Amino acid sequence: MNANGPRGPSPSPSPDAPPASACAPVRTCVGCRGTGERSVLLRAVLDRTDADDARLVVDVARSLPGRGAWVHPDLRCVDLAERRRAWSRALRGPSVIDAGAVRAHVLGEEADERSQRPVTTGTTHGAGRTARTVDKEAGQKPMGTR
């Protein structure tokens, strides 16, 4: 037996390494099965107010009661989770779950990201404004690409 223990000396942590408690919680996406920090993924919980219609609710504050499922805020991951029927397995709920609220939330985030980018293409309508800007000022919503 060694003086440092039965398996030899234990490795000492590097001085630059953060303490174990400073690491962010990691969750698994139910769509792509990739991992990510809790702050990056969306949490969805099952709304059980209506017994006949099970639907998902996005838990923005990440504090609603009940079992939660985590998904990347990407439409591909939401679609993949629906195709794989991962929502019902992760939430231990009924076999058919309406994920419309999660889809709408993700689409809303993507639209917000697009609206924050500067618009460089389009027809100008005086004073350097583009057609997209004029439509937005008029209160019109952009058409979907479905």
Side-chain angles (χ1 to χ4, degrees):
M1 192 187 263
N2 191 334
N4 292 323
R7 296 188 182 137
S10 62
S12 61
S14 68
D16 297 334
S21 62
C23 295
V26 176
R27 302 290 184 257
T28 302
C29 173
V30 294
C32 68
R33 303 294 298 159
T35 58
E37 290 185 6
R38 181 180 175 216
S39 61
V40 175
L41 294 155
L42 285 176
R43 182 175 187 257
V45 295
L46 196 58
D47 181 17
R48 297 185 184 269
T49 56
D50 187 10
D52 295 336
D53 185 28
R55 62 186 185 93
L56 289 175
V57 177
V58 177
D59 185 7
V60 179
R62 297 175 176 94
S63 62
L64 289 176
R67 191 173 183 85
W70 298 83
V71 66
H72 286 109
D74 185 5
L75 203 53
R76 290 175 294 188
C77 286
V78 176
D79 289 339
L80 194 56
E82 282 184 311
R83 256 196 328 259
R84 293 177 52 237
R85 296 185 183 129
W87 295 115
S88 59
R89 280 196 307 275
L91 298 169
R92 297 181 184 170
S95 60
V96 178
I97 296 177
D98 178 23
V102 177
R103 181 180 306 281
H105 185 82
V106 169
L107 286 173
E109 281 186 358
E110 288 177 359
D112 288 344
E113 288 175 7
R114 276 187 254 130
S115 68
Q116 291 174 358
R117 284 188 251 154
V119 180
T120 57
T121 61
T123 324
T124 58
H125 293 280
R129 298 183 308 169
T130 62
R132 185 180 288 169
T133 307
V134 171
D135 289 344
K136 198 173 237 185
E137 289 173 0
Q140 297 175 353
K141 294 183 180 178
M143 291 176 36
T145 57
R146 199 163 201 224

